[in-house]
Amino acid sequence: MYFHRQELQHKATPDAPDAVYARKLQEVLGGQYGEITVAMQYGFQAWNAHIPGKYRDLLFGIGAEEMGHVEMLAVMIAQLLEDSPLGITEDAVQSDPTVAAIIGGTDVQHAIVAGAGARPVDSMGNPWQGSYITASGNLLADFTANANAEMQGRVQVARLYHMTNDSGVRDLLSFLLARDTMHQNQWIAAAAQLREEGYEDLPVPSNFPLAKEDRDVSYEYINFSNGEAAAEGRWASGATPDGKGEFSYVAEPQAGVPMPPPTHPDSRFYGTTELPNIVEKTAGAVQDAINKE
Amino acid sequence: MYFHRQELQHKATPDAPDAVYARKLQEVLGGQYGEITVAMQYGFQAWNAHIPGKYRDLLFGIGAEEMGHVEMLAVMIAQLLEDSPLGITEDAVQSDPTVAAIIGGTDVQHAIVAGAGARPVDSMGNPWQGSYITASGNLLADFTANANAEMQGRVQVARLYHMTNDSGVRDLLSFLLARDTMHQNQWIAAAAQLREEGYEDLPVPSNFPLAKEDRDVSYEYINFSNGEAAAEGRWASGATPDGKGEFSYVAEPQAGVPMPPPTHPDSRFYGTTELPNIVEKTAGAVQDAINKE
Amino acid sequence: MYFHRQELQHKATPDAPDAVYARKLQEVLGGQYGEITVAMQYGFQAWNAHIPGKYRDLLFGIGAEEMGHVEMLAVMIAQLLEDSPLGITEDAVQSDPTVAAIIGGTDVQHAIVAGAGARPVDSMGNPWQGSYITASGNLLADFTANANAEMQGRVQVARLYHMTNDSGVRDLLSFLLARDTMHQNQWIAAAAQLREEGYEDLPVPSNFPLAKEDRDVSYEYINFSNGEAAAEGRWASGATPDGKGEFSYVAEPQAGVPMPPPTHPDSRFYGTTELPNIVEKTAGAVQDAINKE
Amino acid sequence: MYFHRQELQHKATPDAPDAVYARKLQEVLGGQYGEITVAMQYGFQAWNAHIPGKYRDLLFGIGAEEMGHVEMLAVMIAQLLEDSPLGITEDAVQSDPTVAAIIGGTDVQHAIVAGAGARPVDSMGNPWQGSYITASGNLLADFTANANAEMQGRVQVARLYHMTNDSGVRDLLSFLLARDTMHQNQWIAAAAQLREEGYEDLPVPSNFPLAKEDRDVSYEYINFSNGEAAAEGRWASGATPDGKGEFSYVAEPQAGVPMPPPTHPDSRFYGTTELPNIVEKTAGAVQDAINKE
Amino acid sequence: MYFHRQELQHKATPDAPDAVYARKLQEVLGGQYGEITVAMQYGFQAWNAHIPGKYRDLLFGIGAEEMGHVEMLAVMIAQLLEDSPLGITEDAVQSDPTVAAIIGGTDVQHAIVAGAGARPVDSMGNPWQGSYITASGNLLADFTANANAEMQGRVQVARLYHMTNDSGVRDLLSFLLARDTMHQNQWIAAAAQLREEGYEDLPVPSNFPLAKEDRDVSYEYINFSNGEAAAEGRWASGATPDGKGEFSYVAEPQAGVPMPPPTHPDSRFYGTTELPNIVEKTAGAVQDAINKE
Amino acid sequence: MYFHRQELQHKATPDAPDAVYARKLQEVLGGQYGEITVAMQYGFQAWNAHIPGKYRDLLFGIGAEEMGHVEMLAVMIAQLLEDSPLGITEDAVQSDPTVAAIIGGTDVQHAIVAGAGARPVDSMGNPWQGSYITASGNLLADFTANANAEMQGRVQVARLYHMTNDSGVRDLLSFLLARDTMHQNQWIAAAAQLREEGYEDLPVPSNFPLAKEDRDVSYEYINFSNGEAAAEGRWASGATPDGKGEFSYVAEPQAGVPMPPPTHPDSRFYGTTELPNIVEKTAGAVQDAINKE
């Protein structure tokens, strides 16, 4: 169950309206790595979790916080749009090119569709979508997805920080940056603890019997480009992070195997096939089909 | 530049056709964490890279290998479909319910659209899309994204391994599992090396001045659910992975701040506003608008 | 701010697993009119609202309840999937066609992607998307959208009710049906009150000056099909619901106006244009372009 | 069958080109509530209708009109784009910032993809999609969807009216506003008549046996936010619009039920499970799987 | 303007219901190359056309016919669904596996969302989308797109023909196949006439000054795969179809040019850059940014 | 297998950064007819091909070249973005309106998401998607799709050529234009050769028995619009391109057949049905359902 309190976790009021910036801020509300994504991602991971206890509790606890971040950003965007110009192109251009410039940089659906309100889209107007989230049931994989989401999110907020001078906006971003710092640390710590406690290990999924994979190529860096610098990386020699092998460097991919011959599906799929085949099939299956149908 | 060789990196021929399994295998070809995703993701990360040397070389080298994995899966799927039944429902049901069952489980576009060929879609028929990939320019974030992609991918291949008894298919999956093992290890090693060499650190992005974030909440676990188990996690006390703080546990979120008052955009957006406002605006801005227009 | 409590509003446990039904239930979780839609829709309407007081309070109150419905459905789906078969096609078909039949009817990403977990998709596997929601800032329009959403939702739940005999599932659906009954009534009542209190009226938006619309055709039913039955409807004669006119029936559309002539954009767009034009432009603008570039 | 006449229902010629406005106008051509949506929505509702007579006739009659509205907007947009600048950024910026401003506000695919032509997209360039439409077979639900579509559409046209001074454009919008007025009235009248004639009633669907829903919560406003203002609304006390109950106000949600325990799917899905479980399963099912595979 | 007549161009009634086939038929209604695509494609090409006369007339004439094809397929699908089973899994499996098989093969939204009605989606449930259509303003390109659409469409209908024994369905498909035959011929004829009359020529667009393209590589087949068979094709030697050159075969791609050095964007984008750069920028731009902000 | 060489096929370096143009160039990288589309399209056609020899070799050879074109465009876009302004709106507007103008015209995700890097999207920010490609298994249809793709692509590059004065960009476009010239010629030649060699013929698919289509309407131009000009086209009289008939012109569509009566699905789908039906069904099926459930 979710309960709502008509307060915000942190102040979310700009000094002044800025419709162009409102559009940019949509990225961290409704983009691939925006707050809707993490709120939903942590929710689905919790609902699909197979273990009770501290890990699921963690997912529930953070998921609800992120819904509150969605709200703070939506409320901020609505205020940034509050005095946004209507966007009468003719007028704007004639009187003041900067007004036209501003209009050019806005999300025009903010005006036409939402009447100066926030929208569930990213900064280019693409609607948020369920395929942004990850919830596999394997928590080591999923916590790594979460760490990535918080990293990408913090990178985006850091960039947005420099795209405005509004102290009210920066105050909120400063808060979100700090929470992203926490959440990065948290998911890395949680992933480490999963390994320490023996729930999962590398490679993920760790329960799959290693004997069933082709161990000959499990630790080979195979170089499919013509550079040689990658030979110097930690991924090309030394112990592997999973503690189960040694990296090796293969400068030139092994010879491959021949392509299997092209397929010959039923001729009633009407693909283009070899000529003798066509002849045969015309006299054969297709003709039969004609006759019997 | 890319060059193609008409060989496969590993054998990709099934023992027998299986149109239902062909559909399932689409997931690791054209799904969120399929081979098209990693091939494109590593490509875009390389093209957007700001450093030459071993990291970009690594991205080029692996990206091209993944394009070859796309090819192996496509060729495998085409062979699994080679003798797929046409799917005449009436016939199937009358004569043999298992045939109807099989048809029920297939991707019907395999037959209708591709004529028994592979498609750039996932196992539910959703087209692959560019929003599956991540390439931010920040390599610590991106390598974490890559580690996640290889983990999710290996989990999916492991599941698919148990959904077939076909030894030809399993032979290919066994190879892919091993490469995913390599790639998990590799991205984790590459991320570690980035930190060791001082390119990036936690929290990501590490160059953003920490003084500009709200450090009071940078290491607080704030509990927005009513469980208490999360207090026992490593994310609730002790040193943080970024080495810059100590986790603390906040059992109850701090009191929030009041919601800002609702916005009052230009009345010509025709949102629903407070009554006096309506009256005023009708006598005011809208009336003016009427007059002057 | 949102808070989570680790309880469910209503019991959500099936009598027995049913992976085929789990897929169907996704519709009311992640479909166009599923619970994610209404949870997000009421949230965005509240954040974009221009009036405080009871209407925004209503949106907040119901929005949070709907997030809890998302959770109940997700938890139910995970349990329906708990003992779902792995889906080894060969085995299934050989031993028991009904197992194959079941597999054919499932969302295969439930198994491959989510490991027997719920997903943010509809019953055909399409990801939920932000474009399902409506939040225009005009509350009479939006409450009508809400009434529609609850009607469509209840129709879908009613259909789903007959597609299972599981008493645990039916118990939850019975609860959801009742809440949809409430929510239909509620939005209709709220829309009526908006009109009574003078916030909005028909036609929406009611503040737009009627004098600016082409009043000649504001109440005409213009018949663009060759049926005559529509002449008998309430929309063809009598007073209009907005209280501002009389319906009339136009059996045959008025003669239209001539199409404007085709456009002739800059020839450097390389569209196909009339011949003299091509000649001229080749000797003219394009030639100029060639010369000066 | 559909027949086309090379005339327009209303004049659709702008006074002057305006590429920025052309982009905005795309919203009501190819957006969520644009003319393609209603044309297709009324078509599908008619084709899926279960009753002949006046309701289906109405759907056919209006659906064809809306196709003509699609055409008028497309023709208008093409003319607005007719003299749109090519958009040579360098030139524009050097000579005249307002030209750059205009280019900044355009749909660049209008130029690059369509060569100064209209496109089946909204004002942010998102392609129109089938999931915008609603056709459930339940006409009371669907007519409510239609009323909403016409309300949202008219709100958008009203906003667009103020974003231009072009008298040709405004003349067309004035016509569309009037038709939206008609269509709002019409769907509300049609919905009312459905109820009067006994086809459907509230709650929708009215044939579903009420005894099967959880009547205890059918008319309760349950407050999941901490506001109290919603207690004053018509949805919190008094007779319900369906005439079958009395609203009541529940200030605090009833205590919920405990969450069901987490699921434990087959270990071959490789989700993260409780430790004893892992041990057991490793020694058990997985081990068996290894052996037998 | 569009007018509707309540008749069908051809009979569209199945002998018997078949919910599995109804799903398959969705492909040619709402798929990439279904009837909605061509109806919309021809419409947009006409509205964007720059020449009046026979070509635009052709587009209008065929576009309206295709809308009628949308209708025939929708009506057919609704009838195929008329007696579709509700899909109670438990019942079906226990009593008759073939019923479960049928349910497994259906579009479950046909039942849950549309109440046994047609939907604007393809055979895998993906909504139709505006990005399926092509309307560039260049008619030689667009007529080629149209020829392709009619070819792909006819291939699909031919495949569907063999997936049913229903004589009513086959009768309609037989009609559609013939119309696709006409439309293939028609677009090929129209493209040829465009060239004969001098409107356009190869390469498209023919007005672009050839001197501005890199003529050295305009007719070279450059072989990026290791096969040699392509050397025997008509594209490897002889006169080119545009009549302006001779094909040549390049067995091995020319040496390329070095990659440009990686980019170094503003450090406030927080990408990962070379170390000296980081040091410098930290002491430089970022430090400045810190100070001044 | 794919191999990467760290060179470019052609120089791809701009004279100067231009973030607005970078956005426009995304169209031919990640748009409907961009390089990702053709690279993937030719790959899937090759993997699905049913014939070995020169046609599949051709597809492999060109497909790999197109992957190199993706790379050149991505690298070019990254350089165009290298010195793109951060986009601080306030600053920009105050100091220099042209800077604001530029910001208004950029893809803001270039900055926020990719840190001045290329993205897998089109010029309006829509992610590339698998549904852009065509690979039916029928090579005459598919080569026609390819010819269309190269025509649309060349039209777009030609338009882009005129939207910049940058000689470095124009140099690359000049190369791409020439390759598109080659590829248009090549697919037209390949399609012609397929016909000459007897693999396929018109109408596509040519193996489908013509006797099974409704030959009465195979060559009729049926005029569904009120223009008469189309009667003069080559599609209205004379021999048809497939060499199997004569075009004829039908000025007025034949009378259609009556619409089939509306469907009456199971009442438990809760569609709106005729009154007697409701009564009956209430007393009948639904009542039964109530009783037995």
Side-chain angles (χ1 to χ4, degrees), chain A residues 207-258:
Chain A
N207 292 341
F208 184 83
L210 283 184
K212 288 186 169 304
E213 79 173 28
D214 186 350
R215 294 295 285 169
D216 292 347
V217 296
S218 294
Y219 303 112
E220 279 183 356
Y221 178 83
I222 309 176
N223 188 30
F224 277 84
S225 185
N226 66 340
E228 294 170 13
E232 302 152 22
R234 265 188 57 170
W235 51 82
S237 63
T240 56
D242 66 7
K244 294 167 186 160
E246 288 281 318
F247 283 121
S248 67
Y249 181 82
V250 180
E252 187 89 13
Q254 297 88 338
V257 301

Side-chain angles (χ1 to χ4, degrees), chain D residues 3-291:
Chain D
F3 295 81
H4 182 260
R5 188 184 300 165
Q6 293 175 33
E7 290 173 0
L8 300 177
Q9 194 184 1
H10 193 86
K11 190 153 175 291
T13 302
D15 297 345
D18 182 344
V20 173
Y21 195 76
R23 172 207 186 151
K24 293 179 181 166
L25 208 48
Q26 285 282 162
E27 189 64 35
V28 287
L29 169 56
Q32 183 186 9
Y33 291 111
E35 299 287 358
I36 298 179
T37 295
V38 285
M40 284 289 174
Q41 181 157 306
Y42 303 160
F44 274 90
Q45 287 177 9
W47 302 322
N48 290 346
H50 308 313
I51 46 177
K54 66 174 173 287
Y55 296 105
R56 194 173 66 156
D57 198 28
L58 167 68
L59 288 161
F60 278 133
I62 301 299
E65 179 180 359
E66 304 288 12
M67 272 304 293
H69 292 193
V70 171
E71 183 173 52
M72 286 192 295
L73 284 164
V75 165
M76 173 62 89
I77 286 170
Q79 292 169 92
L80 284 165
L81 293 169
E82 186 162 12
D83 293 323
S84 67
L86 277 179
I88 305 178
T89 319
E90 286 297 305
D91 272 8
V93 169
Q94 279 153 27
S95 58
D96 182 355
T98 61
V99 175
I102 285 169
I103 292 163
T106 60
D107 174 330
V108 294
Q109 291 186 325
H110 273 157
I112 303 170
V113 176
R119 285 179 42 74
V121 303
D122 68 18
S123 61
M124 289 299 282
N126 299 294
W128 189 85
Q129 54 179 311
S131 53
Y132 290 159
I133 83 168
T134 296
S136 71
N138 184 294
L139 294 186
L140 186 46
D142 288 356
F143 289 176
T144 306
N146 299 354
N148 170 52
E150 300 285 353
M151 287 177 188
Q152 302 289 343
R154 194 169 181 272
V155 167
Q156 293 178 6
V157 175
R159 287 167 180 165
L160 284 162
Y161 188 91
H162 294 297
M163 295 179 188
T164 182
N165 291 322
D166 186 293
S167 71
V169 174
R170 285 194 160 190
D171 179 55
L172 176 60
L173 298 184
S174 171
F175 179 78
L176 294 175
L177 283 158
R179 296 310 291 154
D180 287 348
T181 292
M182 171 58 192
H183 295 156
Q184 283 182 32
N185 277 285
Q186 160 196 306
W187 295 120
I188 290 169
Q193 193 163 26
L194 274 175
R195 293 183 68 186
E196 287 163 13
E197 295 184 350
Y199 283 106
E200 291 284 341
D201 204 350
L202 294 178
V204 172
S206 51
N207 292 340
F208 185 84
L210 282 184
K212 288 187 168 305
E213 78 172 30
D214 186 351
R215 294 294 286 170
D216 291 350
V217 295
S218 295
Y219 302 112
E220 280 183 355
Y221 178 84
I222 308 177
N223 188 30
F224 278 82
S225 184
N226 66 339
E228 292 171 13
E232 302 152 23
R234 264 190 54 170
W235 51 81
S237 62
T240 57
D242 67 8
K244 295 167 186 161
E246 288 281 318
F247 284 123
S248 67
Y249 182 82
V250 179
E252 186 89 13
Q254 297 87 339
V257 300
M259 282 247 165
T263 54
H264 292 93
D266 190 299
S267 64
R268 283 171 293 176
F269 283 127
Y270 299 108
T272 301
T273 52
E274 294 166 90
L275 282 178
N277 187 282
I278 286 175
V279 176
E280 240 173 71
K281 296 240 170 158
T282 305
V286 167
Q287 204 51 53
D288 290 357
I290 296 172
N291 298 341

